[in-house]
Amino acid sequence: MQQRGAKTRATSPGKAESVKSASGKDDSAESSKAKSGCKGKDAKKETADNTWIMKAIALAVLSVQHCAVGLITRKSRTTGTGEFLPQTGVICQEILKLIFCLACVVYTGESVVSVFSNPRELLRASVPAVLYLVQNNLQYVALGYLDPATYVVTYQLKILSTAVMSVLLLKRELSLTKWIALVLLVIGVSTVQLSALSTSSDSGSSKGAFSQQFLGLVVVLTTCVLSGLAGVYTEKILKMSSVSLWARNVQLAVFSIVAGIVGLAITDELTQVREHGFLQGYNSWVFASVVNNSFGGLLIAVIIKYADNIIKNFATAISIVLTTAISIYGLGLAFTISFGLGVAIVCFSSFLYGGAFDSYIGSLV
C-alpha cells in the first residue's frame, strides 16, 4: 500500500506538469484567438472607416459639383459678351471626357481597338450619345432664362422621368412609397415655379420676363425627359452587354463629338465659328462650366462604385440648399415662404424615393 502510495505520489508531479502544460496550451490558444479576434475587429473597423471616408468624400464632391452646375453655367451665360455657342461648349466637355476615359481604358488593360470593334455596340451607344448632346445644349439654354436655384430644383423632375422610363423600358415595378415620392416631387417643383412667377410679377417685371420664365420651364422639362430616357437606355445597354463602363463612356464621347460637329455643320453656327473662331465669346466662366460639366459626367462612375442612393439624395438636397443660399445672398434671389416650402418638399421627396425612410416605414407597417 505504501509502495502504491509512493508510486501515486511519484507520478503526481508528472500529471500535474501535463495538466499544467495542457492548460498552458489552452491559455495560449485562447490568447491567440483573442488576438486574432482583435485583429479582425481592427480590420473591420479600418474597412468601415475607409468606406465612410470614401462616402464622405463622394458626398462632398458631388454636392459641390451639383451646386456648381447651375451657378457656373448661369454665370457663363450672363457674364461678358454671353455670345459663346453652347454647342462648342458641349463638344469641348466631351473631348475632355474622351481623353480621360481613353486613359482609364489603357490603365485597366483594355485594348483601345476593342472599344470600336463591335459595330452593333457602337450603334447602340449612338442613341444615348445624341440624347445627352441635346440635353447638355438645352442645359446652357435653360440657365439663360432661369436663376440657378429655380433651375436646380426644377431639374429634380429628372427623377420622375427616370422612374417612368424605367417602368416603360426596363419593366421595373415601383413601390407605393416611390410613387408618393414622385407626386411630392411634382408638388414641390410646382410650388417653386409658382413662387418664381409670382416674384417676377410682384417686382413689376415686364411681360417678357414672364415669357422667359415660362420658356425656361419648358426647356428644363425637355431636359428632364431627355435625361431620364438617356440614363435608363444607358443602364439598359450596360447591363445587356459585356462592354466596360470606361469603354462605353469612350463610345458615348466619340458619338457626342461627331453629333456636335454635325450639329454645327447643318446650322448657321458653323458660319459663326468660321468668322469668329471655335472659342468665340469664351471667358473664364465658360471654361469653368465646360470643365465642371465634363467632371460631372465622369463623377458618376466613381459614385456608382463608392456611394449609394442615399448619398446621391443627400448630395441633391445639400446642393439645392447651397444653390438657394448663394442665389439669395449673392445673386439677389427674392426668398419667399412658398419657395422655401417647395425646396423642403423636393428634398424630402428625394430622400423618400431613395429609400432613406424604408426601415421606419417598414416598422410602422
Side-chain angles (χ1 to χ4, degrees), residues 287-301:
F287 283 111
S289 178
V290 168
V291 173
N292 183 66
N293 290 337
S294 180
F295 175 69
L298 297 172
L299 186 60
I300 295 174

Side-chain angles (χ1 to χ4, degrees), residues 37-315:
C38 289
K39 288 181 180 178
K41 288 180 181 178
D42 291 341
K44 288 181 179 178
K45 185 178 179 182
E46 185 178 354
T47 302
D49 290 342
N50 291 337
T51 302
W52 169 247
I53 290 172
M54 290 304 302
K55 286 189 175 184
I57 293 173
L59 172 62
V61 174
L62 190 61
S63 300
V64 173
Q65 196 276 331
H66 277 353
C67 178
V69 168
L71 296 171
I72 295 177
T73 307
R74 172 70 175 182
K75 273 287 188 180
S76 70
R77 297 293 287 168
T78 57
T79 304
T81 61
E83 296 176 353
F84 82 95
L85 302 175
Q87 188 82 290
T88 61
V90 174
I91 293 174
C92 287
Q93 72 188 44
E94 292 301 326
I95 290 175
L96 290 178
K97 287 168 61 176
L98 175 62
I99 294 172
F100 184 86
C101 292
L102 278 175
C104 290
V105 167
V106 174
Y107 179 78
T108 54
E110 286 189 76
S111 171
V112 177
V113 178
S114 64
V115 176
F116 306 99
S117 60
N118 192 332
R120 184 170 178 271
E121 292 296 336
L122 287 174
L123 186 62
R124 295 174 70 185
S126 65
V127 177
V130 174
L131 293 175
Y132 279 128
L133 180 74
V134 178
Q135 174 203 331
N136 290 330
N137 275 281
L138 291 179
Q139 178 177 286
Y140 283 99
V141 175
L143 281 158
Y145 297 111
L146 300 176
D147 63 85
T150 304
Y151 168 80
V152 170
V153 175
T154 308
Y155 189 55
Q156 299 315 308
L157 282 174
K158 66 182 180 180
I159 299 176
L160 173 62
S161 68
T162 301
V164 173
M165 295 301 173
S166 297
V167 173
L168 295 177
L169 297 181
L170 301 180
K171 309 301 179 184
R172 189 172 290 163
E173 295 183 0
L174 299 181
S175 64
L176 178 62
T177 303
K178 290 188 181 296
W179 284 115
I180 293 174
L182 293 174
V183 172
L184 289 174
L185 177 67
V186 174
I187 293 173
V189 171
S190 300
T191 304
V192 169
Q193 283 293 329
L194 290 174
S195 172
L197 289 174
S198 63
T199 302
S200 298
S201 59
D202 292 341
S203 61
S205 300
S206 63
K207 191 175 180 180
F210 181 86
S211 62
Q212 282 193 350
Q213 180 76 25
F214 180 75
L215 182 58
L217 173 61
V218 172
V219 174
V220 174
L221 292 178
T222 306
T223 304
C224 291
V225 173
L226 293 176
S227 175
L229 179 58
V232 172
Y233 190 87
T234 301
E235 180 184 352
K236 185 176 181 179
I237 64 176
L238 279 173
K239 289 183 176 180
M240 295 177 61
S241 68
S242 58
V243 180
S244 69
L245 184 62
W246 296 118
R248 184 65 77 185
N249 278 328
V250 169
Q251 295 173 349
L252 291 173
V254 169
F255 273 107
S256 296
I257 293 170
V258 172
I261 295 173
V262 171
L264 283 177
I266 62 177
T267 61
D268 61 344
E269 291 184 350
L270 182 61
T271 304
Q272 297 181 46
V273 170
R274 287 174 177 172
E275 292 179 355
H276 307 288
F278 189 82
L279 302 179
Q280 61 170 301
Y282 274 57
N283 54 34
S284 57
W285 286 108
V286 178
F287 283 111
S289 178
V290 168
V291 173
N292 183 66
N293 290 337
S294 180
F295 175 69
L298 297 172
L299 186 60
I300 295 174
V302 180
I303 298 302
I304 289 173
K305 185 174 182 180
Y306 291 108
D308 50 26
N309 281 327
I310 306 302
I311 293 294
K312 292 178 185 176
N313 290 309
F314 264 113

Side-chain angles (χ1 to χ4, degrees), residues 332-352:
L333 174 69
F335 184 80
T336 61
I337 295 177
S338 58
F339 188 93
L341 178 62
V343 169
I345 294 174
V346 170
C347 291
F348 175 77
S349 66
S350 298
F351 281 111
L352 185 63

